[in-house]
Amino acid sequence: MTKISKQTQCQTVITTFEMTPGTCQDLLDELTSAYAEFISSQPGFISAALHVNDAQTRIANYSQWKRREDFQAMLRTDEMRKRNRVISGLCKSFEPVMYEVVEGF
């Protein structure tokens, strides 16, 4: 379960995906499969959540990792590089950004 707190010692990654409504479900299926079959079993993975906007033009992904290096190592695997080529073909753009939680309410 995702816990958002400044006391939690982890690396937060928020990735936004931009797509058309016509590819939203396909992209969501690919992301769900990636987490269920691969990402969630990688060293350092803590939790993740996928969010879709009402217009189905954006997916936001919130994930937590024990360390920044764990997330980076997952991205460099052959499996994730292959999956990211498919994901990239389903969206206009996507950008993972690393954050630090500075406050929670």
Side-chain angles (χ1 to χ4, degrees):
M1 173 69 61
T2 302
K3 181 176 179 181
I4 302 172
S5 168
K6 69 180 185 177
Q7 282 77 35
T8 304
Q9 297 297 310
C10 66
Q11 177 65 63
T12 298
V13 182
I14 300 175
T15 306
T16 53
F17 301 83
E18 183 180 356
M19 83 295 288
T20 66
T23 59
C24 181
Q25 188 59 54
D26 294 332
L27 180 56
L28 189 57
D29 291 346
E30 287 295 330
L31 292 169
T32 300
S33 173
Y35 272 102
E37 298 170 7
F38 181 71
I39 299 171
S40 63
S41 65
Q42 295 306 292
F45 175 81
I46 298 172
S47 67
L50 295 167
H51 310 262
V52 179
N53 73 334
D54 288 346
Q56 295 189 335
T57 56
R58 299 263 194 290
I59 293 175
N61 169 225
Y62 184 96
S63 64
Q64 294 178 326
W65 296 81
K66 289 183 182 174
R67 301 174 313 129
R68 165 187 284 260
E69 294 81 12
D70 295 327
F71 174 74
Q72 292 169 328
M74 177 276 299
L75 287 179
R76 287 192 290 269
T77 63
D78 289 341
E79 177 71 16
M80 202 61 220
R81 290 174 64 217
K82 180 173 68 173
R83 287 178 182 269
N84 274 337
R85 284 191 287 278
V86 173
I87 289 167
S88 180
L90 292 170
C91 59
K92 296 176 185 177
S93 65
F94 71 97
E95 181 180 15
V97 180
M98 295 186 190
Y99 293 90
E100 176 185 341
V101 176
V102 294
E103 196 58 73
F105 302 94

